[in-house]
Each structure stands twice: as structure tokens, then as C-alpha cells.
Amino acid sequence: MSLNIAFLLWLILVVVHDFRMRRVPNWLVLAGAALALTALALGAGPLGGDWRAALLGAGAGFGVLLLFYATGLMGAGDVKFASALGLWVGLPALASIWIVASLIAGAHSVLWFVLKRWPFFPRLALMLAGPSRAPESGAPSGRVRSIPYAAYLALATAAWMVWGRQS
């Protein structure tokens, strides 16, 4: 049970950091991966020590989102976080988490677009846009990342932990 609480705290750190900075640092990703590996070794994770599902989840999280990174639609931190997340939840749960996170991210982008065109709530539009900064160096498209996708993955995972998983 204490590993689940540590995992939930890790998710909260990812949410806060991604919303505030629009990036997920490597130390935070590595901490989550180490936590997932510890849970797997102890058989205390939601998968009960199913290494195959966890490794498939990590590979899928990395591989699928790497395509979005390569096209400039996502940051590298999002890709690495999805891989660490897949290690924790495994491949079966990762698909439903992706769907929920993508729906939330889609709502974020639609709301941001609407508020940019019709500034009814300028503070909300600024909050959705994220911190003002230059485009990420080394990003294929050179665009500024405005959607905190790792945060939405973390929120969807927290909801899955509370309501979705069948233990």
C-alpha cells in the first residue's frame, strides 16, 4: 500500500511540474521508473509482479509517443514519462489511460483556441498557454509546448488508480 501512495505522490509531482513548467525533468521520470521497478520486484504493483505486461507497457508508452515527438507534437519528457508510466500500469491499462488523457488534452487545446480567438477570460487563456518562453531547443518543429500532456496522463492514471482498476 505504501508503494501506491508513493506512486500517487509521484503522479502529483509530475502534474504540478508539467503544469507550471511545461516539462518533466529526467530525475522525476527516473524516480517513477525506479518506483515501478521496485513495485514489480516486490510484487506490490497493480500488476502483482507481471513483468511482461509492464515491459510491454513501457515499450508501447515510449514507442507510440516517440512518433509524436518526432513530428514535433510532443516533448521528450512526455515520451519518457509515458514509458515510466507504462512500466507501472502495464500495457492493458495504458490504452484506457491514453484515451482519457488525450480527451483531456483535446479539451485543453480547444478551450485554449477558443479563448485565444475570443478572449472572454484572458487569465484562463494565459494559464492554458503555459509559461512564456522560447521554443525548446532541439525540438523538431521548434514550437513552444503548450499542452501539459504528461500532466494529463498522470491525472488519468490517478483516476484509474481510484476508480478504474479491478483488483
Side-chain angles (χ1 to χ4, degrees):
M1 186 61 162
S2 63
L3 280 175
N4 284 340
I5 292 171
F7 181 65
L8 194 56
L9 290 174
W10 175 66
L11 292 175
I12 291 169
L13 281 173
V14 169
V15 168
V16 169
H17 207 283
D18 201 19
F19 270 125
R20 294 189 77 193
M21 304 302 295
R22 292 303 197 263
R23 60 185 306 271
V24 181
N26 288 336
W27 67 265
L28 195 52
V29 172
L30 289 173
L35 181 66
L37 291 171
T38 302
L40 282 166
L42 297 174
L47 302 175
D50 187 359
W51 285 89
R52 183 176 183 271
L55 293 175
L56 285 173
F62 185 80
V64 172
L65 293 189
L66 185 63
L67 298 173
F68 290 100
Y69 171 75
T71 60
L73 296 173
M74 189 167 290
D78 298 326
V79 176
K80 293 179 275 187
F81 173 73
S83 183
L85 184 64
L87 191 60
W88 178 266
V89 300
L91 185 58
L94 193 58
S96 59
I97 290 169
W98 265 338
I99 291 169
V100 171
S102 296
L103 289 173
I104 297 170
H108 175 122
S109 63
V110 167
L111 183 59
W112 182 55
F113 178 75
V114 166
L115 290 175
K116 268 180 44 176
R117 292 199 77 180
W118 301 287
F120 299 118
F121 303 103
R123 290 186 136 192
L124 180 59
L126 286 174
M127 184 182 77
L128 289 172
S132 298
R133 62 187 173 120
E136 293 181 14
S137 61
S141 69
R143 286 194 250 168
V144 174
R145 311 276 181 242
S146 61
I147 297 176
Y149 192 69
Y152 294 139
L153 280 171
L155 288 172
T157 304
W160 171 79
M161 286 179 70
V162 173
W163 294 294
R165 69 178 174 183
Q166 304 296 320
S167 298

